[in-house]
Amino acid sequence: MQIRKRFLPRSIQDGVATAFMAAIIPITFWFEVYVVIPGVHGADSPFNWVHLGPALFLLYNISANMLATIMCDTSCGTEIIKVPANVAVSSGLGSGSWHLCSTCEAVAPPRSWHCNTCGTCVLKRDHHCVFTGCCIGHRNHRYFIMFVLHLFIATLYASILNNYFIWFVRGEEFRNWTSLVKIVFPLAMLVIDTSTKQYYLVIYLINMVGMLFTGVLLIYHGRLILNGRVVHERNSQEYDLGRMKNLRMVLGKRWQLVWLSPFLESELPHNGVNWDEVQKEAAKSK
């Protein structure tokens, strides 16, 4: 992995979203491990330790994959880019061919786009993620999708526990119309009611929204990956090699194991620059 030289968020929007994500992950972990799980099973129950292993595994993978996504440099500067002799360079802004980026003043390969926020052209650029403050491209796509996957599993896990804890274990406190109002207007109610109960409801709501949001992201980006596309190519089949090869293009040759840790090496089968052979192979497979 090549480390980005400037990895801090470059816009206020990115900074706020990334800071929120960096804060809510440990807060939710603390809430589940020290409040919800002992509340469900009892403070001295041995079942509390059963939950600790999966909780630590998810915390590690969410945090480490998020950090890897941020730190990994996936810009065009990570590769020595040589334009093939028989290829014409266009002056357009499209990423479907070799083109001149007027901002970087350099030739960018197919599937690469310039990001105004990151200030560089990104290899096989998928999109700019505000929650990591960087672009998702060829080299950090694996870390991003693993970050989303583990975040979805964690919020699903937490939401199941939280629903049981809030509405059944502590049901006498929360099963009333005021709780519904607080859930609909959580931030407004924090100004009026700063009790512990209100903070519980805010974390509960964040986890529920997070579960739905990451679930939609996982389905959306998962379908793109399996079809060999990035966001800008969502209607194209130009680089579709079949589901397994498409998966390896993002997760690498050891794709079966990457869910265990972002530090597990999984070499990508492509350099993210020369896509002619992939196009030809995709055309033959149709």
Side-chain angles (χ1 to χ4, degrees), residues 192-227:
I192 302 170
D193 180 8
T194 57
S195 66
T196 304
K197 286 171 55 178
Q198 179 61 16
Y199 285 103
Y200 287 2
L201 285 174
V202 170
I203 298 174
Y204 164 79
L205 182 61
I206 289 172
N207 271 280
M208 291 295 290
V209 172
M211 178 189 67
L212 295 172
F213 181 65
T214 53
V216 170
L217 277 182
L218 194 60
I219 293 170
Y220 178 72
H221 286 287
R223 289 180 65 183
L224 288 175
I225 290 170
L226 291 175
N227 286 286

PDB file of all heavy atoms in Angstrom, residues 192-227:
ATOM      1  N   ILE A 192     -33.607  19.958  25.244  1.00  0.00           N
ATOM      2  CA  ILE A 192     -34.608  20.023  26.315  1.00  0.00           C
ATOM      3  C   ILE A 192     -34.339  18.975  27.388  1.00  0.00           C
ATOM      4  O   ILE A 192     -34.421  19.255  28.586  1.00  0.00           O
ATOM      5  CB  ILE A 192     -36.025  19.810  25.719  1.00  0.00           C
ATOM      6  CG1 ILE A 192     -36.299  20.867  24.642  1.00  0.00           C
ATOM      7  CG2 ILE A 192     -37.087  19.866  26.812  1.00  0.00           C
ATOM      8  CD1 ILE A 192     -37.554  20.603  23.838  1.00  0.00           C
ATOM      9  N   ASP A 193     -34.000  17.759  26.940  1.00  0.00           N
ATOM     10  CA  ASP A 193     -33.816  16.646  27.863  1.00  0.00           C
ATOM     11  C   ASP A 193     -32.415  16.084  27.699  1.00  0.00           C
ATOM     12  O   ASP A 193     -32.084  15.494  26.674  1.00  0.00           O
ATOM     13  CB  ASP A 193     -34.858  15.556  27.568  1.00  0.00           C
ATOM     14  CG  ASP A 193     -34.723  14.359  28.491  1.00  0.00           C
ATOM     15  OD1 ASP A 193     -33.938  14.441  29.452  1.00  0.00           O
ATOM     16  OD2 ASP A 193     -35.403  13.348  28.245  1.00  0.00           O
ATOM     17  N   THR A 194     -31.564  16.280  28.692  1.00  0.00           N
ATOM     18  CA  THR A 194     -30.182  15.793  28.630  1.00  0.00           C
ATOM     19  C   THR A 194     -29.973  14.581  29.545  1.00  0.00           C
ATOM     20  O   THR A 194     -28.867  14.306  29.989  1.00  0.00           O
ATOM     21  CB  THR A 194     -29.197  16.907  29.030  1.00  0.00           C
ATOM     22  OG1 THR A 194     -29.536  17.380  30.347  1.00  0.00           O
ATOM     23  CG2 THR A 194     -29.239  18.057  28.037  1.00  0.00           C
ATOM     24  N   SER A 195     -31.048  13.850  29.791  1.00  0.00           N
ATOM     25  CA  SER A 195     -30.951  12.676  30.650  1.00  0.00           C
ATOM     26  C   SER A 195     -30.259  11.531  29.920  1.00  0.00           C
ATOM     27  O   SER A 195     -30.132  11.541  28.684  1.00  0.00           O
ATOM     28  CB  SER A 195     -32.340  12.223  31.098  1.00  0.00           C
ATOM     29  OG  SER A 195     -33.091  11.771  29.987  1.00  0.00           O
ATOM     30  N   THR A 196     -29.832  10.533  30.690  1.00  0.00           N
ATOM     31  CA  THR A 196     -29.181   9.351  30.117  1.00  0.00           C
ATOM     32  C   THR A 196     -30.102   8.635  29.141  1.00  0.00           C
ATOM     33  O   THR A 196     -29.669   8.132  28.099  1.00  0.00           O
ATOM     34  CB  THR A 196     -28.757   8.389  31.237  1.00  0.00           C
ATOM     35  OG1 THR A 196     -27.916   9.086  32.156  1.00  0.00           O
ATOM     36  CG2 THR A 196     -28.005   7.197  30.671  1.00  0.00           C
ATOM     37  N   LYS A 197     -31.388   8.581  29.451  1.00  0.00           N
ATOM     38  CA  LYS A 197     -32.368   7.922  28.590  1.00  0.00           C
ATOM     39  C   LYS A 197     -32.366   8.520  27.183  1.00  0.00           C
ATOM     40  O   LYS A 197     -32.484   7.802  26.192  1.00  0.00           O
ATOM     41  CB  LYS A 197     -33.770   8.033  29.191  1.00  0.00           C
ATOM     42  CG  LYS A 197     -34.023   7.148  30.396  1.00  0.00           C
ATOM     43  CD  LYS A 197     -35.350   7.473  31.053  1.00  0.00           C
ATOM     44  CE  LYS A 197     -36.498   7.395  30.071  1.00  0.00           C
ATOM     45  NZ  LYS A 197     -37.796   7.678  30.736  1.00  0.00           N
ATOM     46  N   GLN A 198     -32.257   9.837  27.113  1.00  0.00           N
ATOM     47  CA  GLN A 198     -32.267  10.484  25.808  1.00  0.00           C
ATOM     48  C   GLN A 198     -31.031  10.117  24.986  1.00  0.00           C
ATOM     49  O   GLN A 198     -31.120   9.892  23.780  1.00  0.00           O
ATOM     50  CB  GLN A 198     -32.354  12.009  25.976  1.00  0.00           C
ATOM     51  CG  GLN A 198     -32.346  12.794  24.668  1.00  0.00           C
ATOM     52  CD  GLN A 198     -33.533  12.447  23.768  1.00  0.00           C
ATOM     53  OE1 GLN A 198     -34.516  11.844  24.210  1.00  0.00           O
ATOM     54  NE2 GLN A 198     -33.442  12.815  22.513  1.00  0.00           N
ATOM     55  N   TYR A 199     -29.878  10.027  25.632  1.00  0.00           N
ATOM     56  CA  TYR A 199     -28.668   9.619  24.925  1.00  0.00           C
ATOM     57  C   TYR A 199     -28.781   8.173  24.436  1.00  0.00           C
ATOM     58  O   TYR A 199     -28.290   7.840  23.358  1.00  0.00           O
ATOM     59  CB  TYR A 199     -27.439   9.778  25.828  1.00  0.00           C
ATOM     60  CG  TYR A 199     -27.016  11.215  25.994  1.00  0.00           C
ATOM     61  CD1 TYR A 199     -27.303  11.923  27.156  1.00  0.00           C
ATOM     62  CD2 TYR A 199     -26.340  11.887  24.968  1.00  0.00           C
ATOM     63  CE1 TYR A 199     -26.925  13.242  27.306  1.00  0.00           C
ATOM     64  CE2 TYR A 199     -25.955  13.210  25.105  1.00  0.00           C
ATOM     65  CZ  TYR A 199     -26.253  13.886  26.283  1.00  0.00           C
ATOM     66  OH  TYR A 199     -25.878  15.204  26.418  1.00  0.00           O
ATOM     67  N   TYR A 200     -29.426   7.328  25.224  1.00  0.00           N
ATOM     68  CA  TYR A 200     -29.668   5.952  24.791  1.00  0.00           C
ATOM     69  C   TYR A 200     -30.495   5.935  23.504  1.00  0.00           C
ATOM     70  O   TYR A 200     -30.204   5.178  22.570  1.00  0.00           O
ATOM     71  CB  TYR A 200     -30.422   5.172  25.869  1.00  0.00           C
ATOM     72  CG  TYR A 200     -29.617   4.789  27.086  1.00  0.00           C
ATOM     73  CD1 TYR A 200     -28.275   5.166  27.218  1.00  0.00           C
ATOM     74  CD2 TYR A 200     -30.190   4.055  28.117  1.00  0.00           C
ATOM     75  CE1 TYR A 200     -27.542   4.819  28.343  1.00  0.00           C
ATOM     76  CE2 TYR A 200     -29.447   3.694  29.242  1.00  0.00           C
ATOM     77  CZ  TYR A 200     -28.133   4.085  29.353  1.00  0.00           C
ATOM     78  OH  TYR A 200     -27.408   3.729  30.459  1.00  0.00           O
ATOM     79  N   LEU A 201     -31.528   6.774  23.463  1.00  0.00           N
ATOM     80  CA  LEU A 201     -32.390   6.819  22.281  1.00  0.00           C
ATOM     81  C   LEU A 201     -31.651   7.360  21.061  1.00  0.00           C
ATOM     82  O   LEU A 201     -31.880   6.907  19.938  1.00  0.00           O
ATOM     83  CB  LEU A 201     -33.632   7.673  22.565  1.00  0.00           C
ATOM     84  CG  LEU A 201     -34.703   7.036  23.455  1.00  0.00           C
ATOM     85  CD1 LEU A 201     -35.798   8.044  23.769  1.00  0.00           C
ATOM     86  CD2 LEU A 201     -35.303   5.797  22.807  1.00  0.00           C
ATOM     87  N   VAL A 202     -30.754   8.323  21.276  1.00  0.00           N
ATOM     88  CA  VAL A 202     -29.981   8.886  20.159  1.00  0.00           C
ATOM     89  C   VAL A 202     -29.069   7.819  19.559  1.00  0.00           C
ATOM     90  O   VAL A 202     -29.010   7.640  18.336  1.00  0.00           O
ATOM     91  CB  VAL A 202     -29.155  10.109  20.620  1.00  0.00           C
ATOM     92  CG1 VAL A 202     -28.166  10.535  19.532  1.00  0.00           C
ATOM     93  CG2 VAL A 202     -30.077  11.284  20.946  1.00  0.00           C
ATOM     94  N   ILE A 203     -28.355   7.076  20.406  1.00  0.00           N
ATOM     95  CA  ILE A 203     -27.478   6.011  19.914  1.00  0.00           C
ATOM     96  C   ILE A 203     -28.293   4.912  19.248  1.00  0.00           C
ATOM     97  O   ILE A 203     -27.899   4.352  18.216  1.00  0.00           O
ATOM     98  CB  ILE A 203     -26.619   5.445  21.063  1.00  0.00           C
ATOM     99  CG1 ILE A 203     -25.705   6.540  21.630  1.00  0.00           C
ATOM    100  CG2 ILE A 203     -25.780   4.264  20.576  1.00  0.00           C
ATOM    101  CD1 ILE A 203     -24.933   6.124  22.862  1.00  0.00           C
ATOM    102  N   TYR A 204     -29.443   4.597  19.838  1.00  0.00           N
ATOM    103  CA  TYR A 204     -30.346   3.600  19.247  1.00  0.00           C
ATOM    104  C   TYR A 204     -30.757   4.019  17.836  1.00  0.00           C
ATOM    105  O   TYR A 204     -30.717   3.224  16.891  1.00  0.00           O
ATOM    106  CB  TYR A 204     -31.583   3.455  20.136  1.00  0.00           C
ATOM    107  CG  TYR A 204     -32.752   2.762  19.491  1.00  0.00           C
ATOM    108  CD1 TYR A 204     -32.797   1.371  19.385  1.00  0.00           C
ATOM    109  CD2 TYR A 204     -33.828   3.491  18.982  1.00  0.00           C
ATOM    110  CE1 TYR A 204     -33.877   0.723  18.790  1.00  0.00           C
ATOM    111  CE2 TYR A 204     -34.909   2.861  18.385  1.00  0.00           C
ATOM    112  CZ  TYR A 204     -34.926   1.480  18.287  1.00  0.00           C
ATOM    113  OH  TYR A 204     -35.997   0.845  17.697  1.00  0.00           O
ATOM    114  N   LEU A 205     -31.135   5.286  17.672  1.00  0.00           N
ATOM    115  CA  LEU A 205     -31.584   5.790  16.377  1.00  0.00           C
ATOM    116  C   LEU A 205     -30.435   5.823  15.372  1.00  0.00           C
ATOM    117  O   LEU A 205     -30.614   5.445  14.203  1.00  0.00           O
ATOM    118  CB  LEU A 205     -32.177   7.191  16.536  1.00  0.00           C
ATOM    119  CG  LEU A 205     -32.743   7.847  15.268  1.00  0.00           C
ATOM    120  CD1 LEU A 205     -33.880   7.015  14.695  1.00  0.00           C
ATOM    121  CD2 LEU A 205     -33.214   9.260  15.560  1.00  0.00           C
ATOM    122  N   ILE A 206     -29.252   6.237  15.802  1.00  0.00           N
ATOM    123  CA  ILE A 206     -28.087   6.272  14.911  1.00  0.00           C
ATOM    124  C   ILE A 206     -27.786   4.883  14.381  1.00  0.00           C
ATOM    125  O   ILE A 206     -27.476   4.700  13.194  1.00  0.00           O
ATOM    126  CB  ILE A 206     -26.866   6.875  15.638  1.00  0.00           C
ATOM    127  CG1 ILE A 206     -27.064   8.381  15.847  1.00  0.00           C
ATOM    128  CG2 ILE A 206     -25.584   6.624  14.841  1.00  0.00           C
ATOM    129  CD1 ILE A 206     -26.008   9.028  16.716  1.00  0.00           C
ATOM    130  N   ASN A 207     -27.873   3.879  15.249  1.00  0.00           N
ATOM    131  CA  ASN A 207     -27.609   2.505  14.817  1.00  0.00           C
ATOM    132  C   ASN A 207     -28.655   2.008  13.835  1.00  0.00           C
ATOM    133  O   ASN A 207     -28.324   1.323  12.861  1.00  0.00           O
ATOM    134  CB  ASN A 207     -27.560   1.573  16.032  1.00  0.00           C
ATOM    135  CG  ASN A 207     -26.172   1.479  16.620  1.00  0.00           C
ATOM    136  OD1 ASN A 207     -25.315   0.759  16.125  1.00  0.00           O
ATOM    137  ND2 ASN A 207     -25.938   2.236  17.671  1.00  0.00           N
ATOM    138  N   MET A 208     -29.928   2.346  14.071  1.00  0.00           N
ATOM    139  CA  MET A 208     -30.985   1.917  13.159  1.00  0.00           C
ATOM    140  C   MET A 208     -30.811   2.556  11.785  1.00  0.00           C
ATOM    141  O   MET A 208     -30.915   1.884  10.753  1.00  0.00           O
ATOM    142  CB  MET A 208     -32.350   2.278  13.749  1.00  0.00           C
ATOM    143  CG  MET A 208     -32.738   1.485  14.978  1.00  0.00           C
ATOM    144  SD  MET A 208     -32.967  -0.281  14.639  1.00  0.00           S
ATOM    145  CE  MET A 208     -34.472  -0.232  13.666  1.00  0.00           C
ATOM    146  N   VAL A 209     -30.533   3.865  11.766  1.00  0.00           N
ATOM    147  CA  VAL A 209     -30.311   4.568  10.494  1.00  0.00           C
ATOM    148  C   VAL A 209     -29.053   4.030   9.815  1.00  0.00           C
ATOM    149  O   VAL A 209     -29.023   3.824   8.594  1.00  0.00           O
ATOM    150  CB  VAL A 209     -30.205   6.085  10.724  1.00  0.00           C
ATOM    151  CG1 VAL A 209     -29.788   6.805   9.444  1.00  0.00           C
ATOM    152  CG2 VAL A 209     -31.533   6.647  11.237  1.00  0.00           C
ATOM    153  N   GLY A 210     -27.998   3.798  10.616  1.00  0.00           N
ATOM    154  CA  GLY A 210     -26.749   3.260  10.075  1.00  0.00           C
ATOM    155  C   GLY A 210     -26.942   1.904   9.441  1.00  0.00           C
ATOM    156  O   GLY A 210     -26.360   1.611   8.392  1.00  0.00           O
ATOM    157  N   MET A 211     -27.757   1.048  10.070  1.00  0.00           N
ATOM    158  CA  MET A 211     -28.024  -0.278   9.518  1.00  0.00           C
ATOM    159  C   MET A 211     -28.708  -0.171   8.153  1.00  0.00           C
ATOM    160  O   MET A 211     -28.315  -0.850   7.191  1.00  0.00           O
ATOM    161  CB  MET A 211     -28.898  -1.076  10.475  1.00  0.00           C
ATOM    162  CG  MET A 211     -29.288  -2.459   9.970  1.00  0.00           C
ATOM    163  SD  MET A 211     -30.529  -3.268  10.992  1.00  0.00           S
ATOM    164  CE  MET A 211     -31.962  -2.206  10.712  1.00  0.00           C
ATOM    165  N   LEU A 212     -29.720   0.690   8.051  1.00  0.00           N
ATOM    166  CA  LEU A 212     -30.439   0.857   6.788  1.00  0.00           C
ATOM    167  C   LEU A 212     -29.538   1.472   5.717  1.00  0.00           C
ATOM    168  O   LEU A 212     -29.524   1.022   4.561  1.00  0.00           O
ATOM    169  CB  LEU A 212     -31.679   1.732   7.003  1.00  0.00           C
ATOM    170  CG  LEU A 212     -32.759   1.146   7.920  1.00  0.00           C
ATOM    171  CD1 LEU A 212     -33.835   2.192   8.196  1.00  0.00           C
ATOM    172  CD2 LEU A 212     -33.385  -0.097   7.301  1.00  0.00           C
ATOM    173  N   PHE A 213     -28.773   2.481   6.097  1.00  0.00           N
ATOM    174  CA  PHE A 213     -27.906   3.187   5.146  1.00  0.00           C
ATOM    175  C   PHE A 213     -26.805   2.280   4.618  1.00  0.00           C
ATOM    176  O   PHE A 213     -26.576   2.186   3.403  1.00  0.00           O
ATOM    177  CB  PHE A 213     -27.297   4.418   5.822  1.00  0.00           C
ATOM    178  CG  PHE A 213     -26.409   5.235   4.932  1.00  0.00           C
ATOM    179  CD1 PHE A 213     -26.929   5.891   3.829  1.00  0.00           C
ATOM    180  CD2 PHE A 213     -25.052   5.347   5.194  1.00  0.00           C
ATOM    181  CE1 PHE A 213     -26.113   6.657   2.995  1.00  0.00           C
ATOM    182  CE2 PHE A 213     -24.228   6.096   4.371  1.00  0.00           C
ATOM    183  CZ  PHE A 213     -24.754   6.748   3.268  1.00  0.00           C
ATOM    184  N   THR A 214     -26.115   1.570   5.514  1.00  0.00           N
ATOM    185  CA  THR A 214     -25.029   0.686   5.075  1.00  0.00           C
ATOM    186  C   THR A 214     -25.572  -0.522   4.311  1.00  0.00           C
ATOM    187  O   THR A 214     -24.905  -1.031   3.413  1.00  0.00           O
ATOM    188  CB  THR A 214     -24.177   0.204   6.264  1.00  0.00           C
ATOM    189  OG1 THR A 214     -25.036  -0.375   7.270  1.00  0.00           O
ATOM    190  CG2 THR A 214     -23.394   1.356   6.871  1.00  0.00           C
ATOM    191  N   GLY A 215     -26.786  -0.964   4.661  1.00  0.00           N
ATOM    192  CA  GLY A 215     -27.408  -2.055   3.911  1.00  0.00           C
ATOM    193  C   GLY A 215     -27.665  -1.673   2.472  1.00  0.00           C
ATOM    194  O   GLY A 215     -27.373  -2.451   1.545  1.00  0.00           O
ATOM    195  N   VAL A 216     -28.179  -0.465   2.264  1.00  0.00           N
ATOM    196  CA  VAL A 216     -28.422   0.033   0.902  1.00  0.00           C
ATOM    197  C   VAL A 216     -27.098   0.205   0.163  1.00  0.00           C
ATOM    198  O   VAL A 216     -26.971  -0.174  -1.018  1.00  0.00           O
ATOM    199  CB  VAL A 216     -29.201   1.366   0.946  1.00  0.00           C
ATOM    200  CG1 VAL A 216     -29.255   2.011  -0.436  1.00  0.00           C
ATOM    201  CG2 VAL A 216     -30.618   1.140   1.469  1.00  0.00           C
ATOM    202  N   LEU A 217     -26.086   0.773   0.842  1.00  0.00           N
ATOM    203  CA  LEU A 217     -24.769   0.945   0.221  1.00  0.00           C
ATOM    204  C   LEU A 217     -24.163  -0.391  -0.191  1.00  0.00           C
ATOM    205  O   LEU A 217     -23.583  -0.520  -1.274  1.00  0.00           O
ATOM    206  CB  LEU A 217     -23.816   1.639   1.198  1.00  0.00           C
ATOM    207  CG  LEU A 217     -23.849   3.159   1.299  1.00  0.00           C
ATOM    208  CD1 LEU A 217     -22.795   3.639   2.296  1.00  0.00           C
ATOM    209  CD2 LEU A 217     -23.628   3.824  -0.047  1.00  0.00           C
ATOM    210  N   LEU A 218     -24.284  -1.380   0.677  1.00  0.00           N
ATOM    211  CA  LEU A 218     -23.708  -2.692   0.410  1.00  0.00           C
ATOM    212  C   LEU A 218     -24.353  -3.333  -0.813  1.00  0.00           C
ATOM    213  O   LEU A 218     -23.666  -3.904  -1.668  1.00  0.00           O
ATOM    214  CB  LEU A 218     -23.893  -3.587   1.637  1.00  0.00           C
ATOM    215  CG  LEU A 218     -23.081  -4.880   1.688  1.00  0.00           C
ATOM    216  CD1 LEU A 218     -21.588  -4.580   1.638  1.00  0.00           C
ATOM    217  CD2 LEU A 218     -23.431  -5.664   2.943  1.00  0.00           C
ATOM    218  N   ILE A 219     -25.670  -3.234  -0.927  1.00  0.00           N
ATOM    219  CA  ILE A 219     -26.374  -3.787  -2.091  1.00  0.00           C
ATOM    220  C   ILE A 219     -25.986  -3.031  -3.359  1.00  0.00           C
ATOM    221  O   ILE A 219     -25.671  -3.635  -4.390  1.00  0.00           O
ATOM    222  CB  ILE A 219     -27.900  -3.729  -1.874  1.00  0.00           C
ATOM    223  CG1 ILE A 219     -28.320  -4.676  -0.744  1.00  0.00           C
ATOM    224  CG2 ILE A 219     -28.644  -4.087  -3.158  1.00  0.00           C
ATOM    225  CD1 ILE A 219     -29.766  -4.514  -0.310  1.00  0.00           C
ATOM    226  N   TYR A 220     -25.969  -1.689  -3.271  1.00  0.00           N
ATOM    227  CA  TYR A 220     -25.674  -0.860  -4.442  1.00  0.00           C
ATOM    228  C   TYR A 220     -24.254  -1.102  -4.954  1.00  0.00           C
ATOM    229  O   TYR A 220     -24.044  -1.416  -6.142  1.00  0.00           O
ATOM    230  CB  TYR A 220     -25.867   0.610  -4.087  1.00  0.00           C
ATOM    231  CG  TYR A 220     -25.534   1.566  -5.204  1.00  0.00           C
ATOM    232  CD1 TYR A 220     -26.365   1.673  -6.319  1.00  0.00           C
ATOM    233  CD2 TYR A 220     -24.392   2.367  -5.147  1.00  0.00           C
ATOM    234  CE1 TYR A 220     -26.058   2.553  -7.363  1.00  0.00           C
ATOM    235  CE2 TYR A 220     -24.080   3.244  -6.173  1.00  0.00           C
ATOM    236  CZ  TYR A 220     -24.914   3.333  -7.274  1.00  0.00           C
ATOM    237  OH  TYR A 220     -24.608   4.194  -8.296  1.00  0.00           O
ATOM    238  N   HIS A 221     -23.266  -0.976  -4.064  1.00  0.00           N
ATOM    239  CA  HIS A 221     -21.872  -1.134  -4.490  1.00  0.00           C
ATOM    240  C   HIS A 221     -21.538  -2.598  -4.765  1.00  0.00           C
ATOM    241  O   HIS A 221     -20.700  -2.886  -5.630  1.00  0.00           O
ATOM    242  CB  HIS A 221     -20.932  -0.553  -3.430  1.00  0.00           C
ATOM    243  CG  HIS A 221     -20.919   0.938  -3.407  1.00  0.00           C
ATOM    244  ND1 HIS A 221     -20.305   1.692  -4.378  1.00  0.00           N
ATOM    245  CD2 HIS A 221     -21.473   1.825  -2.535  1.00  0.00           C
ATOM    246  CE1 HIS A 221     -20.465   2.977  -4.111  1.00  0.00           C
ATOM    247  NE2 HIS A 221     -21.173   3.082  -3.008  1.00  0.00           N
ATOM    248  N   GLY A 222     -22.180  -3.511  -4.045  1.00  0.00           N
ATOM    249  CA  GLY A 222     -21.956  -4.932  -4.302  1.00  0.00           C
ATOM    250  C   GLY A 222     -22.368  -5.320  -5.709  1.00  0.00           C
ATOM    251  O   GLY A 222     -21.655  -6.064  -6.399  1.00  0.00           O
ATOM    252  N   ARG A 223     -23.499  -4.817  -6.154  1.00  0.00           N
ATOM    253  CA  ARG A 223     -23.969  -5.111  -7.515  1.00  0.00           C
ATOM    254  C   ARG A 223     -23.023  -4.517  -8.559  1.00  0.00           C
ATOM    255  O   ARG A 223     -22.740  -5.148  -9.582  1.00  0.00           O
ATOM    256  CB  ARG A 223     -25.381  -4.560  -7.714  1.00  0.00           C
ATOM    257  CG  ARG A 223     -26.446  -5.334  -6.951  1.00  0.00           C
ATOM    258  CD  ARG A 223     -27.824  -4.747  -7.174  1.00  0.00           C
ATOM    259  NE  ARG A 223     -28.241  -4.875  -8.566  1.00  0.00           N
ATOM    260  CZ  ARG A 223     -29.380  -4.383  -9.049  1.00  0.00           C
ATOM    261  NH1 ARG A 223     -30.215  -3.726  -8.246  1.00  0.00           N
ATOM    262  NH2 ARG A 223     -29.697  -4.550 -10.315  1.00  0.00           N
ATOM    263  N   LEU A 224     -22.521  -3.305  -8.308  1.00  0.00           N
ATOM    264  CA  LEU A 224     -21.572  -2.687  -9.237  1.00  0.00           C
ATOM    265  C   LEU A 224     -20.299  -3.516  -9.340  1.00  0.00           C
ATOM    266  O   LEU A 224     -19.795  -3.777 -10.436  1.00  0.00           O
ATOM    267  CB  LEU A 224     -21.230  -1.264  -8.769  1.00  0.00           C
ATOM    268  CG  LEU A 224     -22.313  -0.200  -8.912  1.00  0.00           C
ATOM    269  CD1 LEU A 224     -21.859   1.110  -8.288  1.00  0.00           C
ATOM    270  CD2 LEU A 224     -22.665   0.034 -10.387  1.00  0.00           C
ATOM    271  N   ILE A 225     -19.784  -3.949  -8.195  1.00  0.00           N
ATOM    272  CA  ILE A 225     -18.546  -4.730  -8.173  1.00  0.00           C
ATOM    273  C   ILE A 225     -18.722  -6.052  -8.918  1.00  0.00           C
ATOM    274  O   ILE A 225     -17.881  -6.438  -9.735  1.00  0.00           O
ATOM    275  CB  ILE A 225     -18.101  -4.979  -6.724  1.00  0.00           C
ATOM    276  CG1 ILE A 225     -17.610  -3.662  -6.091  1.00  0.00           C
ATOM    277  CG2 ILE A 225     -16.996  -6.041  -6.656  1.00  0.00           C
ATOM    278  CD1 ILE A 225     -17.373  -3.744  -4.601  1.00  0.00           C
ATOM    279  N   LEU A 226     -19.815  -6.747  -8.647  1.00  0.00           N
ATOM    280  CA  LEU A 226     -20.054  -8.054  -9.275  1.00  0.00           C
ATOM    281  C   LEU A 226     -20.267  -7.948 -10.782  1.00  0.00           C
ATOM    282  O   LEU A 226     -20.099  -8.923 -11.508  1.00  0.00           O
ATOM    283  CB  LEU A 226     -21.259  -8.739  -8.627  1.00  0.00           C
ATOM    284  CG  LEU A 226     -21.052  -9.210  -7.185  1.00  0.00           C
ATOM    285  CD1 LEU A 226     -22.347  -9.758  -6.619  1.00  0.00           C
ATOM    286  CD2 LEU A 226     -19.944 -10.260  -7.105  1.00  0.00           C
ATOM    287  N   ASN A 227     -20.641  -6.744 -11.245  1.00  0.00           N
ATOM    288  CA  ASN A 227     -20.832  -6.530 -12.684  1.00  0.00           C
ATOM    289  C   ASN A 227     -19.654  -5.797 -13.326  1.00  0.00           C
ATOM    290  O   ASN A 227     -19.741  -5.379 -14.483  1.00  0.00           O
ATOM    291  CB  ASN A 227     -22.129  -5.742 -12.924  1.00  0.00           C
ATOM    292  CG  ASN A 227     -23.365  -6.596 -12.708  1.00  0.00           C
ATOM    293  OD1 ASN A 227     -23.694  -7.444 -13.526  1.00  0.00           O
ATOM    294  ND2 ASN A 227     -24.050  -6.395 -11.593  1.00  0.00           N
TER     295      ASN A 227
END
